[in-house]
Every structure is written in C-alpha cells, then in structure tokens.
Amino acid sequence: MKIKLHITILLMMVVHHVFALSNDSEQNIEIEADKAEMDDANKTTVYRGNVIVTQGSIKMTGHTMTVHFDKNNDMKLVILNGSPATYRQLPDNSEVYDRAEASKMEYYALKNYIILINDALVTQEGLTFSGQRIEYDTVLSKVKAEGQSNKTKKSKNKEEGRVKIIIKKRKK
C-alpha cells in the first residue's frame, strides 16, 4: 500500500510538472485602460477602452473588462469583451504561444480556466480549435469546443456553427 501511495504521489508530481505553465501566476498583474471604476461594496472593478492586461507571459486585451473579487479581495472572475478579446500565454518548454480569442472571455483566475464565447478560437502548438463556445484549461492545456446548436442557427450553411479543428502537418 505504501509503495502504491508513493508511486501515486510521484506520478501526480510529474503530471503537474509536465502540464504546469511557468511562474506567470507569481508575477505582478499590470492593467492599462482608458478608464477604470472601482466599486468596493460590490467588489468589482470595471476597465474601459483599450484594456491590456499582462502577467508574466500572459497577455489579455479587449475593450471592456470587469473584475470580480471574492471576500478576501482575491481576483475570482474576469469578464473581458472585445472585437475580439484576446489571450496568449507561453507554456513552459515551448517557443510558441498558446492563443485564444472570442467576442467574450470569462477567466476564472482561481481555477486557471477560460470560457470563450462567440466566434471562439484557440491555437496551441500545431492545433487550432474554433467554435461558438470553447472551454480552455490553461494549466492542463485542455480544450473543449462546441458549435452553435441547430435551434439557434440562422444560416442554412451546414458547415457554419460547427466545431472545426485544424492539425498542422509537422515538418520533417
């Protein structure tokens, strides 16, 4: 039993190391915008106009960003709107940025999780995912994409509203 426990702990450490991104979360967050409004009572801050957020290799852009804080004043949710709103991060041991864009992004800071809504696109090394809704785990680099349902689709084009994945051919 002890051997299984040690192997499990070792595997968990290796998996965490392989999937973990650099120390971005330990870096300061810098936010630039044309305007900012802070509401302490509701624990929100709204940034408007050419919003640019950087934290280590992470960069997010959009035209409006609303930040929600928890009772400990830790950032819990960031809602970023843009045309498109963008996100990029450089994974460890990679020279290629993971990139994401959509009309609306919901970034759950405590979970390192992004939900991209409307015209969503995620590009990871060699892969491109597009759809109307994409859920993206930035720590585990996992992507879940959904197309637009037939009930809400206005176009008669069968290809529109579907999830699309492009796998780039590797150069030899």
Side-chain angles (χ1 to χ4, degrees), residues 98-131:
D98 286 352
R99 298 181 182 274
E101 65 179 53
S103 297
K104 179 179 180 181
M105 290 187 188
E106 297 175 356
Y107 177 60
Y108 296 85
L110 301 175
K111 297 178 184 179
N112 293 304
Y113 202 78
I114 299 173
I115 298 176
L116 304 137
I117 302 166
N118 294 331
D119 301 319
L121 176 70
V122 172
T123 303
Q124 294 178 316
E125 205 167 316
L127 294 172
T128 301
F129 299 84
S130 63

Side-chain angles (χ1 to χ4, degrees), residues 8-20 139-140:
T8 302
I9 291 171
L10 179 63
L11 285 173
M12 287 172 57
M13 289 171 49
V14 169
V15 168
H16 177 72
H17 178 70
V18 168
F19 291 114
V139 173
L140 299 177

Side-chain angles (χ1 to χ4, degrees), residues 4-158:
K4 285 184 181 179
L5 180 62
H6 288 294
I7 291 172
T8 302
I9 291 171
L10 179 63
L11 285 173
M12 287 172 57
M13 289 171 49
V14 169
V15 168
H16 177 72
H17 178 70
V18 168
F19 291 114
L21 297 175
S22 64
N23 62 356
D24 286 336
S25 62
E26 298 170 12
Q27 305 297 317
N28 291 332
I29 299 171
E30 296 180 23
I31 303 170
E32 296 178 39
D34 295 334
K35 298 178 184 178
E37 300 170 23
M38 184 169 45
D39 183 345
D40 278 337
N42 290 316
K43 298 201 174 289
T44 60
T45 303
V46 179
Y47 300 89
R48 298 181 198 284
N50 193 24
V51 179
I52 301 170
V53 181
T54 55
Q55 182 181 26
S57 74
I58 296 171
K59 182 175 182 180
M60 298 170 69
T61 65
H63 60 68
T64 305
M65 180 174 76
T66 305
V67 182
H68 299 268
F69 298 92
D70 64 14
K71 61 184 176 185
N72 298 321
N73 288 324
D74 290 326
M75 183 174 49
K76 68 176 184 178
L77 171 62
V78 176
I79 299 173
L80 187 61
N81 293 296
S83 299
T86 66
Y87 170 91
R88 76 161 198 202
Q89 184 172 26
L90 185 63
D92 286 342
N93 303 318
S94 178
E95 296 177 8
V96 180
Y97 280 90
D98 286 352
R99 298 181 182 274
E101 65 179 53
S103 297
K104 179 179 180 181
M105 290 187 188
E106 297 175 356
Y107 177 60
Y108 296 85
L110 301 175
K111 297 178 184 179
N112 293 304
Y113 202 78
I114 299 173
I115 298 176
L116 304 137
I117 302 166
N118 294 331
D119 301 319
L121 176 70
V122 172
T123 303
Q124 294 178 316
E125 205 167 316
L127 294 172
T128 301
F129 299 84
S130 63
Q132 287 304 304
R133 178 184 172 95
I134 298 176
E135 297 179 17
Y136 177 46
D137 185 322
T138 64
V139 173
L140 299 177
S141 291
K142 288 187 175 183
V143 176
K144 178 181 169 185
E146 297 176 12
Q148 186 175 10
S149 72
N150 289 333
K151 292 178 183 176
T152 60
K153 194 180 349 176
K154 294 178 183 175
S155 173
K156 292 182 182 180
N157 182 352
K158 291 182 181 181

Side-chain angles (χ1 to χ4, degrees), residues 152-167:
T152 60
K153 194 180 349 176
K154 294 178 183 175
S155 173
K156 292 182 182 180
N157 182 352
K158 291 182 181 181
E159 297 301 314
E160 191 175 306
R162 294 174 45 90
V163 172
K164 186 173 185 178
I165 300 169
I166 299 171
I167 302 170

